[in-house]
Amino acid sequence: LLNIYGPHSQVGKEHFWEMVSNMVNSFSRSWMAIGGFNSISNKGEKKGGLKVWEKSKSSFRNCVFDSGAVDYGFNGNIFTWSNRREGLVNIKERLDCAVCNQEWQYMYLKAGVMHLVSSSSDHIPILLDTHLEIEARSKPFCFEAMWTRMIQVQM
């Protein structure tokens, strides 16, 4: 299990992801990397602000691809960071995440990552739970009056 804290600025990001890729490729068994990656992999992981520099996204994506990793996904709000401003100047990004190889996924079939809530930080905490039990909430049955009209029209 690797705890990642990626660089904030563009300087050094490419070298950092190259180093992470080399490290995880040296492992012969299961592994997971989790933490503040400070990078996004696609435009859906950012809302507001300026467009992300393509080279920044590609160095992170290349690291994930080269190591055979998969994004572990999450439960909760997609964005893990916000500049905490209001209105049009608000920026949100998914900078914190977990990636792993397939061996790790097979070892921890019930594991999951949860995005929690924070009122005191611009980052929200993420939690890895190796025995995550997600309750499937059943929705109460509601009869829709329009169903009777649809049946009458079809007859």
Side-chain angles (χ1 to χ4, degrees):
L1 179 63
L2 300 169
N3 186 13
I4 299 289
Y5 186 73
H8 290 276
S9 68
Q10 283 306 127
V11 178
K13 274 195 181 191
E14 192 170 352
H15 175 69
F16 176 80
W17 289 117
E18 205 172 288
M19 185 178 66
V20 170
S21 182
N22 290 337
M23 186 184 310
V24 297
N25 284 328
S26 71
F27 298 148
S28 61
R29 296 193 176 189
S30 64
W31 60 267
M32 172 180 262
I34 186 170
F37 287 58
N38 287 318
S39 292
I40 65 170
S41 61
N42 64 64
K43 65 181 181 180
E45 294 181 340
K46 181 174 181 167
K47 182 178 179 183
L50 299 174
K51 187 177 176 182
V52 176
W53 190 41
E54 188 59 36
K55 190 159 183 112
S56 172
K57 290 190 293 188
S58 65
S59 60
F60 175 53
R61 281 193 306 251
N62 289 344
C63 173
V64 171
F65 180 77
D66 292 345
S67 60
V70 291
D71 185 334
Y72 210 69
F74 60 91
N75 296 296
N77 187 350
I78 183 174
F79 303 111
T80 62
W81 174 85
S82 171
N83 66 356
R84 302 179 90 182
R85 295 182 184 161
E86 297 294 325
L88 296 175
V89 292
N90 181 252
I91 302 170
K92 297 178 181 181
E93 297 179 332
R94 181 181 177 219
L95 299 179
D96 307 83
C97 64
V99 298
C100 66
N101 65 359
Q102 287 183 343
E103 289 84 2
W104 203 95
Q105 272 189 312
Y106 295 139
M107 282 181 61
Y108 297 97
L109 294 174
K110 290 187 175 184
V113 173
M114 293 185 296
H115 291 178
L116 305 177
V117 177
S118 173
S119 60
S120 60
S121 175
D122 56 352
H123 282 265
I124 64 167
I126 62 174
L127 174 71
L128 170 64
D129 186 340
T130 57
H131 290 85
L132 186 64
E133 298 290 334
I134 300 175
E135 294 180 22
R137 294 183 182 153
S138 60
K139 295 180 183 177
F141 177 79
C142 293
F143 182 81
E144 298 288 339
M146 68 174 193
W147 292 344
T148 59
R149 288 186 294 243
M150 289 172 58
I151 292 173
Q152 291 172 356
V153 170
Q154 291 176 354
M155 292 182 165

